[in-house]
Amino acid sequence: MVKRTSHQSADCLIARPLDAIGDWWSLLIVRDAFDGMRRFGEFQRSLGVAKNILSARLRNLVAHGILETVPAPDGSAHHEYVLTEKGRGLFYVLVALRQWGETYFSGPGEPYTFMVDTRTGRPIRRLEVHAEDGRRLVPGETRLADFRQQPD
Amino acid sequence: MVKRTSHQSADCLIARPLDAIGDWWSLLIVRDAFDGMRRFGEFQRSLGVAKNILSARLRNLVAHGILETVPAPDGSAHHEYVLTEKGRGLFYVLVALRQWGETYFSGPGEPYTFMVDTRTGRPIRRLEVHAEDGRRLVPGETRLADFRQQPD
DNA sequence: TCCATTCGGTTTCAACTTGAAACCATTGCG
DNA sequence: CGCAATGGTTTCAAGTTGAAACCGAATGGA
């Protein structure tokens, strides 16, 4: 084994993102960041992850431009980790994952949970894929593989 | 180290799905499955993954009910791997990941690529999150963390 | 002042996972 | 029959992960 395979230079726009976030912890860190967590200790307590692993993951997320460090507002010597715009772009990935989880990973006997509109407290709609003209598309109607074309 | 941490029993509907697909290969296998691949060899050639790893991943995806094995239609002794309904539910995760990849992982100088409506060849729309009443929601307006409530 | 704690990590080291390559069992075919 | 292709499993070295120990810089009390 030379090294764990990297998808970084893969010619696939699903593989490349996975190189940045495709491990067991990164998306959970991003999720916590969406929930307002910013400090090393907050992530550590929330996730229960070993500190060396968290340290490595945060470094990787910063290196990929998903999080950035900012000086702590309380004037302490430490810094905080906040989502960049690129990081906030992961929102849809998390919503998709969450809705899939709601549907297929709710334990039997567990109360059914769902994402809610914080304004009304009502469940949000399920994600849908739409064509340019507004038609709803199902899996067979769009391809996940690359399709190269110069934008006109 | 006891074992790699499992999120299987985590009380979080983002963590639990990650336990099933949160490694470097599983989502790529699912992506290929959406593109019609079914045979061990097809996945192996497409991904360039070691056979033992592919074998373990396929077994895991089957165990999680994301893929299922069906007898090969050509009457050979082998079987094929096809997406279950649960597996097809990952479509939105892949679309979200792909759109994020299109936006932030297109190499400079690379032709811009995007997912297209196979009927018209035109790009599909970006995913959006909507409230029950149709209002478009941005990250702060819905929470990824669990919110438990009995559906009425 | 001085000891104790918290915060944010890094280091260490054993166990576990990954990947390349070799190996193996069936079928397919000439 | 001989030989290649398919679909794996086994083996083993190297890489990754995680628990725990350690560390330095700031607080925080007594």
PDB file of all heavy atoms in Angstrom, chain B residues 1-2 25 50 52-53 57, chain C residues 15-20 27:
ATOM      1  N   MET B   1      -6.499   1.814  20.458  1.00  0.00           N
ATOM      2  CA  MET B   1      -7.658   1.938  19.583  1.00  0.00           C
ATOM      3  C   MET B   1      -8.465   0.670  19.636  1.00  0.00           C
ATOM      4  O   MET B   1      -7.976  -0.412  19.417  1.00  0.00           O
ATOM      5  CB  MET B   1      -7.173   2.162  18.153  1.00  0.00           C
ATOM      6  CG  MET B   1      -8.273   2.161  17.145  1.00  0.00           C
ATOM      7  SD  MET B   1      -7.568   2.412  15.523  1.00  0.00           S
ATOM      8  CE  MET B   1      -8.964   1.914  14.511  1.00  0.00           C
ATOM      9  N   VAL B   2      -9.722   0.809  19.967  1.00  0.00           N
ATOM     10  CA  VAL B   2     -10.572  -0.359  20.048  1.00  0.00           C
ATOM     11  C   VAL B   2     -10.994  -0.783  18.652  1.00  0.00           C
ATOM     12  O   VAL B   2     -10.785  -1.899  18.233  1.00  0.00           O
ATOM     13  CB  VAL B   2     -11.824  -0.064  20.895  1.00  0.00           C
ATOM     14  CG1 VAL B   2     -12.625  -1.310  21.079  1.00  0.00           C
ATOM     15  CG2 VAL B   2     -11.405   0.525  22.222  1.00  0.00           C
ATOM     16  N   TRP B  25     -15.135   5.206  -0.759  1.00  0.00           N
ATOM     17  CA  TRP B  25     -15.526   4.472  -1.964  1.00  0.00           C
ATOM     18  C   TRP B  25     -17.025   4.272  -2.133  1.00  0.00           C
ATOM     19  O   TRP B  25     -17.528   4.237  -3.254  1.00  0.00           O
ATOM     20  CB  TRP B  25     -14.852   3.089  -1.968  1.00  0.00           C
ATOM     21  CG  TRP B  25     -13.376   3.163  -2.143  1.00  0.00           C
ATOM     22  CD1 TRP B  25     -12.432   2.828  -1.225  1.00  0.00           C
ATOM     23  CD2 TRP B  25     -12.659   3.600  -3.308  1.00  0.00           C
ATOM     24  NE1 TRP B  25     -11.178   3.031  -1.729  1.00  0.00           N
ATOM     25  CE2 TRP B  25     -11.289   3.507  -3.015  1.00  0.00           C
ATOM     26  CE3 TRP B  25     -13.050   4.064  -4.572  1.00  0.00           C
ATOM     27  CZ2 TRP B  25     -10.305   3.860  -3.926  1.00  0.00           C
ATOM     28  CZ3 TRP B  25     -12.071   4.408  -5.473  1.00  0.00           C
ATOM     29  CH2 TRP B  25     -10.718   4.314  -5.159  1.00  0.00           C
ATOM     30  N   ALA B  50      -8.917  -1.663  -5.331  1.00  0.00           N
ATOM     31  CA  ALA B  50      -8.451  -3.030  -5.116  1.00  0.00           C
ATOM     32  C   ALA B  50      -9.651  -3.957  -4.934  1.00  0.00           C
ATOM     33  O   ALA B  50     -10.670  -3.579  -4.362  1.00  0.00           O
ATOM     34  CB  ALA B  50      -7.554  -3.094  -3.886  1.00  0.00           C
ATOM     35  N   ASN B  52     -10.202  -6.565  -3.076  1.00  0.00           N
ATOM     36  CA  ASN B  52     -10.634  -6.886  -1.719  1.00  0.00           C
ATOM     37  C   ASN B  52     -11.419  -5.733  -1.110  1.00  0.00           C
ATOM     38  O   ASN B  52     -12.411  -5.950  -0.411  1.00  0.00           O
ATOM     39  CB  ASN B  52      -9.423  -7.231  -0.838  1.00  0.00           C
ATOM     40  CG  ASN B  52      -8.349  -6.161  -0.909  1.00  0.00           C
ATOM     41  OD1 ASN B  52      -8.374  -5.311  -1.795  1.00  0.00           O
ATOM     42  ND2 ASN B  52      -7.417  -6.214   0.006  1.00  0.00           N
ATOM     43  N   ILE B  53     -11.014  -4.514  -1.416  1.00  0.00           N
ATOM     44  CA  ILE B  53     -11.724  -3.353  -0.890  1.00  0.00           C
ATOM     45  C   ILE B  53     -13.108  -3.260  -1.517  1.00  0.00           C
ATOM     46  O   ILE B  53     -14.116  -3.066  -0.826  1.00  0.00           O
ATOM     47  CB  ILE B  53     -10.938  -2.061  -1.180  1.00  0.00           C
ATOM     48  CG1 ILE B  53      -9.544  -2.155  -0.586  1.00  0.00           C
ATOM     49  CG2 ILE B  53     -11.685  -0.850  -0.645  1.00  0.00           C
ATOM     50  CD1 ILE B  53      -9.519  -2.235   0.898  1.00  0.00           C
ATOM     51  N   ARG B  57     -16.685  -3.327   0.365  1.00  0.00           N
ATOM     52  CA  ARG B  57     -17.634  -2.239   0.235  1.00  0.00           C
ATOM     53  C   ARG B  57     -18.982  -2.714  -0.297  1.00  0.00           C
ATOM     54  O   ARG B  57     -20.033  -2.298   0.173  1.00  0.00           O
ATOM     55  CB  ARG B  57     -17.072  -1.155  -0.670  1.00  0.00           C
ATOM     56  CG  ARG B  57     -15.919  -0.394  -0.077  1.00  0.00           C
ATOM     57  CD  ARG B  57     -16.368   0.435   1.117  1.00  0.00           C
ATOM     58  NE  ARG B  57     -15.216   0.982   1.820  1.00  0.00           N
ATOM     59  CZ  ARG B  57     -14.578   0.361   2.796  1.00  0.00           C
ATOM     60  NH1 ARG B  57     -14.979  -0.826   3.233  1.00  0.00           N
ATOM     61  NH2 ARG B  57     -13.545   0.921   3.380  1.00  0.00           N
TER      62      ARG B  57
ATOM     63  P    DA C  15      -2.140  -4.329  20.599  1.00  0.00           P
ATOM     64  OP1  DA C  15      -2.530  -5.162  21.762  1.00  0.00           O
ATOM     65  OP2  DA C  15      -1.088  -4.781  19.649  1.00  0.00           O
ATOM     66  O5'  DA C  15      -3.447  -4.000  19.749  1.00  0.00           O
ATOM     67  C5'  DA C  15      -4.461  -3.193  20.330  1.00  0.00           C
ATOM     68  C4'  DA C  15      -5.363  -2.685  19.220  1.00  0.00           C
ATOM     69  O4'  DA C  15      -4.656  -1.696  18.439  1.00  0.00           O
ATOM     70  C3'  DA C  15      -5.807  -3.772  18.249  1.00  0.00           C
ATOM     71  O3'  DA C  15      -7.169  -3.549  17.943  1.00  0.00           O
ATOM     72  C2'  DA C  15      -4.918  -3.529  17.029  1.00  0.00           C
ATOM     73  C1'  DA C  15      -4.772  -2.018  17.063  1.00  0.00           C
ATOM     74  N9   DA C  15      -3.584  -1.504  16.377  1.00  0.00           N
ATOM     75  C8   DA C  15      -2.307  -1.955  16.490  1.00  0.00           C
ATOM     76  N7   DA C  15      -1.440  -1.296  15.752  1.00  0.00           N
ATOM     77  C5   DA C  15      -2.213  -0.340  15.113  1.00  0.00           C
ATOM     78  C6   DA C  15      -1.894   0.686  14.199  1.00  0.00           C
ATOM     79  N6   DA C  15      -0.668   0.910  13.740  1.00  0.00           N
ATOM     80  N1   DA C  15      -2.904   1.462  13.761  1.00  0.00           N
ATOM     81  C2   DA C  15      -4.142   1.241  14.223  1.00  0.00           C
ATOM     82  N3   DA C  15      -4.561   0.311  15.082  1.00  0.00           N
ATOM     83  C4   DA C  15      -3.539  -0.450  15.497  1.00  0.00           C
ATOM     84  P    DC C  16      -8.027  -4.601  17.142  1.00  0.00           P
ATOM     85  OP1  DC C  16      -9.279  -4.780  17.888  1.00  0.00           O
ATOM     86  OP2  DC C  16      -7.173  -5.745  16.770  1.00  0.00           O
ATOM     87  O5'  DC C  16      -8.362  -3.771  15.828  1.00  0.00           O
ATOM     88  C5'  DC C  16      -8.822  -2.420  15.953  1.00  0.00           C
ATOM     89  C4'  DC C  16      -8.782  -1.738  14.609  1.00  0.00           C
ATOM     90  O4'  DC C  16      -7.425  -1.393  14.257  1.00  0.00           O
ATOM     91  C3'  DC C  16      -9.323  -2.594  13.469  1.00  0.00           C
ATOM     92  O3'  DC C  16     -10.252  -1.811  12.750  1.00  0.00           O
ATOM     93  C2'  DC C  16      -8.080  -2.925  12.639  1.00  0.00           C
ATOM     94  C1'  DC C  16      -7.204  -1.697  12.902  1.00  0.00           C
ATOM     95  N1   DC C  16      -5.745  -1.903  12.697  1.00  0.00           N
ATOM     96  C2   DC C  16      -5.038  -0.996  11.901  1.00  0.00           C
ATOM     97  O2   DC C  16      -5.632  -0.051  11.372  1.00  0.00           O
ATOM     98  N3   DC C  16      -3.706  -1.176  11.720  1.00  0.00           N
ATOM     99  C4   DC C  16      -3.083  -2.207  12.308  1.00  0.00           C
ATOM    100  N4   DC C  16      -1.772  -2.330  12.103  1.00  0.00           N
ATOM    101  C5   DC C  16      -3.790  -3.143  13.116  1.00  0.00           C
ATOM    102  C6   DC C  16      -5.109  -2.958  13.288  1.00  0.00           C
ATOM    103  P    DT C  17     -11.106  -2.384  11.513  1.00  0.00           P
ATOM    104  OP1  DT C  17     -12.494  -1.911  11.634  1.00  0.00           O
ATOM    105  OP2  DT C  17     -10.796  -3.822  11.388  1.00  0.00           O
ATOM    106  O5'  DT C  17     -10.442  -1.620  10.282  1.00  0.00           O
ATOM    107  C5'  DT C  17     -10.240  -0.230  10.360  1.00  0.00           C
ATOM    108  C4'  DT C  17      -9.584   0.260   9.090  1.00  0.00           C
ATOM    109  O4'  DT C  17      -8.183  -0.063   9.092  1.00  0.00           O
ATOM    110  C3'  DT C  17     -10.173  -0.319   7.804  1.00  0.00           C
ATOM    111  O3'  DT C  17     -10.345   0.767   6.925  1.00  0.00           O
ATOM    112  C2'  DT C  17      -9.110  -1.323   7.352  1.00  0.00           C
ATOM    113  C1'  DT C  17      -7.818  -0.695   7.882  1.00  0.00           C
ATOM    114  N1   DT C  17      -6.702  -1.613   8.209  1.00  0.00           N
ATOM    115  C2   DT C  17      -5.443  -1.332   7.723  1.00  0.00           C
ATOM    116  O2   DT C  17      -5.200  -0.400   6.992  1.00  0.00           O
ATOM    117  N3   DT C  17      -4.470  -2.203   8.119  1.00  0.00           N
ATOM    118  C4   DT C  17      -4.616  -3.304   8.942  1.00  0.00           C
ATOM    119  O4   DT C  17      -3.654  -4.011   9.233  1.00  0.00           O
ATOM    120  C5   DT C  17      -5.963  -3.558   9.416  1.00  0.00           C
ATOM    121  C7   DT C  17      -6.250  -4.724  10.301  1.00  0.00           C
ATOM    122  C6   DT C  17      -6.925  -2.700   9.037  1.00  0.00           C
ATOM    123  P    DT C  18     -10.931   0.607   5.442  1.00  0.00           P
ATOM    124  OP1  DT C  18     -11.693   1.819   5.128  1.00  0.00           O
ATOM    125  OP2  DT C  18     -11.545  -0.725   5.337  1.00  0.00           O
ATOM    126  O5'  DT C  18      -9.604   0.636   4.583  1.00  0.00           O
ATOM    127  C5'  DT C  18      -8.680   1.680   4.790  1.00  0.00           C
ATOM    128  C4'  DT C  18      -7.507   1.530   3.831  1.00  0.00           C
ATOM    129  O4'  DT C  18      -6.590   0.555   4.345  1.00  0.00           O
ATOM    130  C3'  DT C  18      -7.902   1.085   2.426  1.00  0.00           C
ATOM    131  O3'  DT C  18      -7.296   1.968   1.505  1.00  0.00           O
ATOM    132  C2'  DT C  18      -7.345  -0.340   2.324  1.00  0.00           C
ATOM    133  C1'  DT C  18      -6.195  -0.323   3.324  1.00  0.00           C
ATOM    134  N1   DT C  18      -5.879  -1.602   4.014  1.00  0.00           N
ATOM    135  C2   DT C  18      -4.559  -1.984   4.116  1.00  0.00           C
ATOM    136  O2   DT C  18      -3.649  -1.342   3.643  1.00  0.00           O
ATOM    137  N3   DT C  18      -4.351  -3.152   4.800  1.00  0.00           N
ATOM    138  C4   DT C  18      -5.304  -3.956   5.381  1.00  0.00           C
ATOM    139  O4   DT C  18      -4.997  -4.986   5.974  1.00  0.00           O
ATOM    140  C5   DT C  18      -6.671  -3.496   5.235  1.00  0.00           C
ATOM    141  C7   DT C  18      -7.788  -4.307   5.819  1.00  0.00           C
ATOM    142  C6   DT C  18      -6.892  -2.358   4.564  1.00  0.00           C
ATOM    143  P    DG C  19      -7.698   1.930  -0.030  1.00  0.00           P
ATOM    144  OP1  DG C  19      -7.580   3.294  -0.567  1.00  0.00           O
ATOM    145  OP2  DG C  19      -8.954   1.181  -0.184  1.00  0.00           O
ATOM    146  O5'  DG C  19      -6.505   1.080  -0.638  1.00  0.00           O
ATOM    147  C5'  DG C  19      -5.199   1.529  -0.423  1.00  0.00           C
ATOM    148  C4'  DG C  19      -4.190   0.586  -1.035  1.00  0.00           C
ATOM    149  O4'  DG C  19      -4.046  -0.574  -0.195  1.00  0.00           O
ATOM    150  C3'  DG C  19      -4.571   0.074  -2.425  1.00  0.00           C
ATOM    151  O3'  DG C  19      -3.406   0.150  -3.204  1.00  0.00           O
ATOM    152  C2'  DG C  19      -5.005  -1.382  -2.174  1.00  0.00           C
ATOM    153  C1'  DG C  19      -4.159  -1.752  -0.969  1.00  0.00           C
ATOM    154  N9   DG C  19      -4.726  -2.734  -0.058  1.00  0.00           N
ATOM    155  C8   DG C  19      -6.049  -2.909   0.263  1.00  0.00           C
ATOM    156  N7   DG C  19      -6.244  -3.865   1.136  1.00  0.00           N
ATOM    157  C5   DG C  19      -4.969  -4.350   1.402  1.00  0.00           C
ATOM    158  C6   DG C  19      -4.545  -5.384   2.263  1.00  0.00           C
ATOM    159  O6   DG C  19      -5.237  -6.102   2.995  1.00  0.00           O
ATOM    160  N1   DG C  19      -3.167  -5.549   2.237  1.00  0.00           N
ATOM    161  C2   DG C  19      -2.291  -4.814   1.475  1.00  0.00           C
ATOM    162  N2   DG C  19      -1.009  -5.114   1.576  1.00  0.00           N
ATOM    163  N3   DG C  19      -2.684  -3.838   0.665  1.00  0.00           N
ATOM    164  C4   DG C  19      -4.025  -3.659   0.676  1.00  0.00           C
ATOM    165  P    DA C  20      -3.423  -0.008  -4.744  1.00  0.00           P
ATOM    166  OP1  DA C  20      -2.843   1.227  -5.309  1.00  0.00           O
ATOM    167  OP2  DA C  20      -4.754  -0.462  -5.175  1.00  0.00           O
ATOM    168  O5'  DA C  20      -2.363  -1.180  -4.960  1.00  0.00           O
ATOM    169  C5'  DA C  20      -1.104  -1.077  -4.302  1.00  0.00           C
ATOM    170  C4'  DA C  20      -0.336  -2.370  -4.476  1.00  0.00           C
ATOM    171  O4'  DA C  20      -0.791  -3.336  -3.497  1.00  0.00           O
ATOM    172  C3'  DA C  20      -0.489  -3.029  -5.846  1.00  0.00           C
ATOM    173  O3'  DA C  20       0.804  -3.482  -6.247  1.00  0.00           O
ATOM    174  C2'  DA C  20      -1.468  -4.173  -5.594  1.00  0.00           C
ATOM    175  C1'  DA C  20      -1.204  -4.523  -4.137  1.00  0.00           C
ATOM    176  N9   DA C  20      -2.381  -4.976  -3.405  1.00  0.00           N
ATOM    177  C8   DA C  20      -3.668  -4.542  -3.555  1.00  0.00           C
ATOM    178  N7   DA C  20      -4.522  -5.122  -2.743  1.00  0.00           N
ATOM    179  C5   DA C  20      -3.744  -6.009  -2.005  1.00  0.00           C
ATOM    180  C6   DA C  20      -4.046  -6.920  -0.978  1.00  0.00           C
ATOM    181  N6   DA C  20      -5.267  -7.098  -0.497  1.00  0.00           N
ATOM    182  N1   DA C  20      -3.031  -7.650  -0.468  1.00  0.00           N
ATOM    183  C2   DA C  20      -1.808  -7.474  -0.959  1.00  0.00           C
ATOM    184  N3   DA C  20      -1.385  -6.642  -1.920  1.00  0.00           N
ATOM    185  C4   DA C  20      -2.423  -5.928  -2.411  1.00  0.00           C
ATOM    186  P    DT C  27     -19.905 -23.362 -12.061  1.00  0.00           P
ATOM    187  OP1  DT C  27     -21.227 -22.766 -11.771  1.00  0.00           O
ATOM    188  OP2  DT C  27     -19.723 -24.814 -11.947  1.00  0.00           O
ATOM    189  O5'  DT C  27     -19.501 -22.876 -13.508  1.00  0.00           O
ATOM    190  C5'  DT C  27     -20.160 -21.744 -13.971  1.00  0.00           C
ATOM    191  C4'  DT C  27     -19.378 -20.977 -15.019  1.00  0.00           C
ATOM    192  O4'  DT C  27     -17.966 -21.042 -14.889  1.00  0.00           O
ATOM    193  C3'  DT C  27     -19.723 -21.455 -16.425  1.00  0.00           C
ATOM    194  O3'  DT C  27     -20.438 -20.411 -17.056  1.00  0.00           O
ATOM    195  C2'  DT C  27     -18.362 -21.753 -17.060  1.00  0.00           C
ATOM    196  C1'  DT C  27     -17.399 -20.948 -16.176  1.00  0.00           C
ATOM    197  N1   DT C  27     -16.003 -21.467 -16.099  1.00  0.00           N
ATOM    198  C2   DT C  27     -15.005 -20.777 -16.738  1.00  0.00           C
ATOM    199  O2   DT C  27     -15.197 -19.774 -17.397  1.00  0.00           O
ATOM    200  N3   DT C  27     -13.749 -21.331 -16.606  1.00  0.00           N
ATOM    201  C4   DT C  27     -13.410 -22.465 -15.898  1.00  0.00           C
ATOM    202  O4   DT C  27     -12.239 -22.870 -15.841  1.00  0.00           O
ATOM    203  C5   DT C  27     -14.502 -23.153 -15.254  1.00  0.00           C
ATOM    204  C7   DT C  27     -14.264 -24.395 -14.486  1.00  0.00           C
ATOM    205  C6   DT C  27     -15.748 -22.629 -15.388  1.00  0.00           C
TER     206       DT C  27
END
